[in-house]
Amino acid sequence: MRNTTRTLLAAALVLGVAGPAALPASAATAQHTTTPSATAATADAGSPALEAAIAGLPSKDATAALVRVGGTEGSWRGSSGVHDLRTGRPADPGARFRAGSVTKVFTAAVALQLASEGRLDLDRPARSYLPELIPAAYGGVTVRQLLDHTHGIPAAGLPGETVEEWYERRFEVHDPRDLVRSATARPREFAPGEKQHYLNIGYTIAGLIVERVTGDSYEHQVAARVLRPLGLRDTYFPGASPRIEGRHNHGYQWMRLDDGTTGLRDVTVWGTTDGWAAGNLISTTADLERFTRALFAGEVVRGPLLEEMFTLPKVPDLTTGAPAAFSVGLSMKKLGGREVWGKTGGRWGYNAAIASTRHGERTLVYSVNSTDAKGKDTSRVALNLMLATYGLPSE
């Protein structure tokens, strides 16, 4: 947590913000499109801090950004950068993008709906639902522990150690059951419920449990329970297809090129079956904003079970020793003196996030076409957007 705070503070100095952006009245939404060469925002187009966060794209760090800020405190929309580097035409603000681990929020919501219906027990061992897949060594892991990352199951073993190696394997199709077998064949990282380690594997297992208790595909359950009721017509699961259907801005990644030099490679076409229920959703900022508003208003998960998404387990993080920061589906940071709950996601070429204060006073949704979207450091553009929306970190 200390390193995260230091990074956020450094980003704040870059952006020059000391508090959350002042937004127009909620009745009037400001719309701003930054041209590819723009480096400063106009004073009358909305929030200067938000405009500054996405100005100057494409840059070394990102080629495009799409942003929606909303809630009862006001609203603002902006886009910047290019659709693709070859033509240089402006980024499409209605474009679809890979949402990465924002998928986990949808998975958690479906699991909690099933729990509210009595079809899924959060305190029941996951092995009781999938006895043929989860070995006895992990028999004590509960469904809740899968969802809040306190299960102790290690990551699945995927081949490759560099982005170049992963790029060469970008069209490989991964079966979620094989991923679970790979992970559970390894020694546990810690006893269930003792620590927290954020990984995809818990949500891969959760997706399989959804299928087992419903007798239906995970994708259809998300569509029937969340996408269709909310009218999220531009949100879908690509399955084994490595392409983004419909309008989309291209994603790029710094890597070694065929001639031995280092440069940006177009990574828009890339399979995501390794993510599945943990990270392969495709969406738009408009759809994710609608989902975020509905989720925080209690319209997706209803009743007491919604509090599972706003309850942090009282355990330390495995790596840092800091208090756990992930709940069921979401994570929490204190920014601008209040709790901000949400989820970020990253697939090569694309970073995405949803965030909100607890009662929807201020929401944020963004897609940033980061040029190192799965690197160890968060995109500077994404960090600046979070700070411009909510303010500086607070303890």
Side-chain angles (χ1 to χ4, degrees):
M1 185 64 72
R2 185 179 297 113
N3 289 339
T4 301
T5 301
R6 187 181 300 119
T7 302
L8 286 166
L9 286 170
L13 293 174
V14 171
L15 183 59
V17 299
L23 298 178
S26 58
T29 298
Q31 176 71 50
H32 175 64
T33 301
T34 303
T35 60
S37 59
T39 56
T42 56
D44 60 350
S47 161
L50 285 165
E51 297 208 19
I54 63 173
L57 301 184
S59 67
K60 180 181 178 181
D61 299 315
T63 59
L66 315 177
V67 188
R68 284 176 176 250
V69 179
T72 58
E73 295 178 350
S75 56
W76 184 89
R77 298 176 188 175
S79 63
S80 180
V82 296
H83 165 269
D84 66 281
L85 293 176
R86 183 181 63 82
T87 68
R89 75 177 192 260
D92 182 348
R96 286 171 167 167
F97 51 84
R98 301 191 190 282
S101 286
V102 174
T103 308
K104 292 182 177 71
V105 191
F106 289 75
T107 305
V110 169
L112 291 173
Q113 286 185 7
L114 290 168
S116 71
E117 296 164 9
R119 302 172 71 182
L120 185 64
D121 185 343
L122 298 181
D123 295 314
R124 185 175 169 183
R127 187 170 188 260
S128 68
Y129 293 102
L130 300 168
E132 78 290 355
L133 190 60
I134 299 176
Y138 290 100
V141 173
T142 67
V143 175
R144 180 183 283 104
Q145 289 163 349
L146 294 175
L147 296 172
D148 68 12
H149 305 282
T150 61
H151 48 75
I153 303 172
L158 293 171
E161 296 182 358
T162 66
V163 63
E164 292 81 10
E165 291 173 337
W166 295 320
Y167 179 77
E168 290 299 318
R169 297 174 175 270
R170 67 193 182 281
F171 298 133
E172 290 185 357
V173 176
H174 302 275
D175 186 295
R177 292 166 182 78
D178 290 339
L179 296 175
V180 175
R181 292 186 187 100
S182 170
T184 57
R186 300 179 173 192
R188 71 184 187 188
E189 294 186 324
F190 50 83
E194 285 192 355
K195 297 179 182 180
Q196 185 174 79
H197 188 195
Y198 177 83
L199 292 171
N200 282 347
I201 192 63
Y203 277 75
T204 301
I205 299 172
L208 291 170
I209 292 176
V210 167
E211 294 192 332
R212 179 60 54 86
V213 300
T214 63
D216 191 12
S217 73
Y218 159 80
E219 293 87 350
H220 185 260
Q221 282 292 304
V222 176
R225 291 172 172 274
V226 182
L227 306 188
R228 287 202 292 270
L230 294 181
L232 308 185
R233 296 180 180 85
D234 286 314
T235 303
Y236 76 102
F237 291 95
S241 172
R243 300 183 179 278
I244 302 174
E245 301 298 329
R247 298 156 51 189
H248 60 277
N249 300 315
H250 287 229
Y252 296 86
Q253 170 65 37
W254 287 103
M255 66 171 72
R256 187 177 64 255
L257 304 179
D258 295 338
D259 61 4
T261 63
T262 298
L264 287 176
R265 187 187 291 274
D266 190 323
V267 293
T268 308
V269 180
W270 192 314
T272 59
T273 55
D274 61 306
W276 194 50
N280 75 344
L281 195 74
I282 289 173
S283 191
T284 64
T285 54
D287 272 10
L288 290 183
E289 183 180 55
R290 190 176 302 119
F291 170 71
T292 302
R293 289 200 307 263
L295 179 71
F296 280 71
E299 297 170 5
V300 179
V301 180
R302 302 178 186 275
L305 280 168
L306 178 60
E307 289 308 308
E308 295 282 346
M309 304 189 91
F310 301 103
T311 303
L312 298 175
K314 298 184 183 303
V315 298
D317 180 85
L318 174 66
T319 304
T320 66
F326 294 92
S327 62
V328 171
L330 300 175
S331 63
M332 190 275 287
K333 286 185 174 63
K334 290 185 178 180
L335 299 173
R338 54 186 176 177
E339 292 184 353
V340 176
W341 294 84
K343 190 71 192 71
T344 59
R347 298 297 308 188
W348 301 113
Y350 301 88
N351 280 132
I354 65 172
S356 180
T357 50
R358 177 63 182 87
H359 299 291
E361 296 91 347
R362 181 165 293 197
T363 63
L364 167 66
V365 173
Y366 67 69
S367 166
V368 175
N369 292 64
S370 302
T371 55
D372 191 19
K374 292 181 72 65
K376 65 177 182 179
D377 295 323
T378 304
S379 160
R380 177 180 295 186
V381 176
L383 283 173
N384 285 344
L385 281 169
M386 191 68 70
L387 290 164
T389 304
Y390 294 109
L392 296 176
S394 53
E395 298 301 330

